[in-house]
Amino acid sequence: MADRNRPLRLGMHTYTLHFFGLGESWGFGKDYYFEQVMSLYELMERAEAWELDGLQITKVDLLASGAEDPFSKENLHKVAEAAQEHGLFLEFNSSFHAGSDSRVNCTVKEALEIGHELGAELVKFSLDIVRPRELYGSCMHPEVMRQLADRYENFKNAIPLIEEYGMQIAIENHTDTFADEILWIVKKLNHPLIGTCVDTMNPLQVMENPYDVMKRMLPRAYCCHFSDDMIVVDPLGVHDVGAAHGQGSMDCPGMISQIRELSSMDKIIFENEIAFRHLDEPIEEARTRELQACEESVRYLRNELKLGVRNR
């Protein structure tokens, strides 16, 4: 049984600051991303000042490392050394076919190699499944299962490299997959280094209950994307809108209790999904709100939920 009182390290997924050009862009349905106005090294300095324990980074962040060849072994080792100097663990976040930012796409082999050279603790994958139009009732749909079978072969063929690197793999219930689909592929791969990444808000995108999804996925989880969105109903429809932790519609303390009870993880990756207030909002204003939400989340997660081990 997991130790419910164990300390949990606190990391951040870099797309929390996507208006600053970090992580990846999202929500546009095509390649659309923002100018990089903060380098990866500046982010590491902020993460240390915020008393975070780690970062989950993408290929986009490596583009913000200032190197002529950002994916060379030399540069990856430089990034790894900088993270160590700032007392930060690293994880690597990868996609197959991201809908809004193709810069994050990797083959399984490429993602493993980048993660290995970074000294990353794990590599997280989104599966990027194209679903049929009728979302309701489409779990394990034949069109989906054909794609999952392809992803299964991708991971199965990479198992020798996964074992060589001793690299943990976490497969996420992204906005395009049901929990049962992620569990199907993890169970079929049946390997101790391959588990789930539980995203606390993504279940809403496929009309699942986040509590039930966490209950099913956490026992096999190596990673958690922890968000707190706000459910808004207005004349434009029903939305889940990104918010600072503790200010949204989710039971953050209850979710942490689930994580402690049902998983053996010793860290949590938080992320904010701050969106434009309106499509013509000046990017400078969006960046100000995004940075404020990030800092408010860190304070809430560290001070109220007692996450993080740095300087305790």
Side-chain angles (χ1 to χ4, degrees):
M1 181 177 292
D3 177 5
R4 298 181 184 181
N5 298 313
R6 67 189 182 279
L8 295 172
R9 293 179 291 162
L10 181 61
M12 182 182 80
H13 181 4
T14 53
Y15 101 119
T16 292
L17 296 176
H18 76 285
F19 287 138
F20 289 80
L22 295 164
E24 60 184 292
S25 66
W26 52 270
F28 294 94
K30 60 180 180 179
D31 270 344
Y32 188 97
Y33 32 82
F34 303 98
E35 178 185 2
Q36 291 180 322
V37 295
M38 184 189 298
S39 76
L40 178 56
Y41 298 115
E42 290 172 325
L43 178 61
M44 288 183 183
E45 291 174 359
R46 287 180 183 261
E48 182 178 8
W50 291 334
E51 299 182 295
L52 295 179
D53 300 302
L55 294 171
Q56 188 176 98
I57 70 173
T58 71
K59 288 175 69 176
V60 171
D61 305 310
L62 295 171
L63 296 175
S65 62
E68 183 175 344
D69 182 358
F71 310 122
S72 67
K73 286 187 178 182
E74 179 183 9
N75 188 58
L76 296 176
H77 293 170
K78 180 182 177 182
V79 170
E81 290 169 4
Q84 291 175 359
E85 290 171 0
H86 288 288
L88 299 168
F89 71 79
L90 292 179
E91 295 181 348
F92 185 65
N93 188 316
S94 175
S95 296
F96 282 87
H97 298 292
S100 294
D101 197 338
S102 62
R103 299 174 301 168
V104 301
N105 294 343
C106 295
T107 65
V108 175
K109 181 175 183 291
E110 181 185 8
L112 289 170
E113 289 174 344
I114 290 174
H116 176 67
E117 299 301 336
L118 285 171
E121 293 188 359
L122 65 77
V123 175
K124 191 239 82 178
F125 286 91
S126 305
L127 297 183
D128 306 299
I129 299 299
V130 179
R131 304 200 69 84
R133 183 188 65 81
E134 300 87 352
L135 182 61
Y136 179 78
S138 70
C139 183
M140 313 295 274
H141 188 282
E143 293 177 18
V144 170
M145 295 308 296
R146 292 186 186 98
Q147 298 171 70
L148 288 179
D150 287 340
R151 299 290 186 266
Y152 165 82
E153 292 294 336
N154 293 147
F155 288 116
K156 181 181 178 182
N157 292 338
I159 284 177
L161 190 59
I162 292 170
E163 292 177 338
E164 178 183 342
Y165 290 160
M167 179 70 71
Q168 282 191 336
I169 303 300
I171 304 176
E172 181 185 7
N173 60 317
H174 208 241
T175 57
D176 47 24
T177 43
F178 287 80
D180 283 342
E181 294 167 348
I182 299 301
L183 289 169
W184 177 86
I185 194 169
V186 169
K187 290 176 181 177
K188 286 293 181 184
L189 288 164
N190 190 30
H191 195 281
L193 288 172
I194 301 175
T196 68
C197 171
V198 185
D199 189 292
T200 62
M201 291 304 306
N202 283 345
L204 297 178
Q205 305 296 323
V206 291
M207 297 185 285
E208 288 195 290
N209 183 323
Y211 178 89
D212 291 338
V213 167
M214 293 177 69
K215 185 176 181 180
R216 297 205 305 278
M217 291 184 65
L218 279 171
R220 293 177 175 265
Y222 293 148
C223 181
C224 177
H225 281 179
F226 185 46
S227 305
D228 185 13
D229 290 7
M230 185 163 33
I231 308 302
V232 177
V233 181
D234 61 26
L236 296 178
V238 181
H239 322 269
D240 59 287
V241 180
H245 288 74
Q247 300 177 30
S249 301
M250 310 310 290
D251 178 7
C252 289
M255 287 181 162
I256 295 300
S257 294
Q258 268 192 290
I259 291 166
R260 289 184 180 280
E261 181 176 354
L262 298 177
S263 80
S264 59
M265 289 185 294
D266 71 343
K267 60 187 169 184
I268 288 175
I269 305 296
F270 88 87
E271 52 186 26
N272 294 145
E273 299 169 323
I274 304 304
F276 282 118
R277 281 179 168 160
H278 43 80
L279 288 178
D280 58 352
E281 180 184 18
I283 186 64
E284 294 81 7
E285 293 182 12
R287 286 182 181 132
T288 297
R289 290 191 303 103
E290 186 178 59
L291 185 60
Q292 179 181 351
C294 178
E295 293 177 335
E296 290 173 354
S297 285
V298 172
R299 284 194 292 271
Y300 174 79
L301 294 170
R302 279 188 54 85
N303 299 339
E304 300 298 324
L305 299 190
K306 306 302 181 185
L307 301 177
V309 302
R310 185 190 286 267
N311 298 330
R312 293 295 190 189

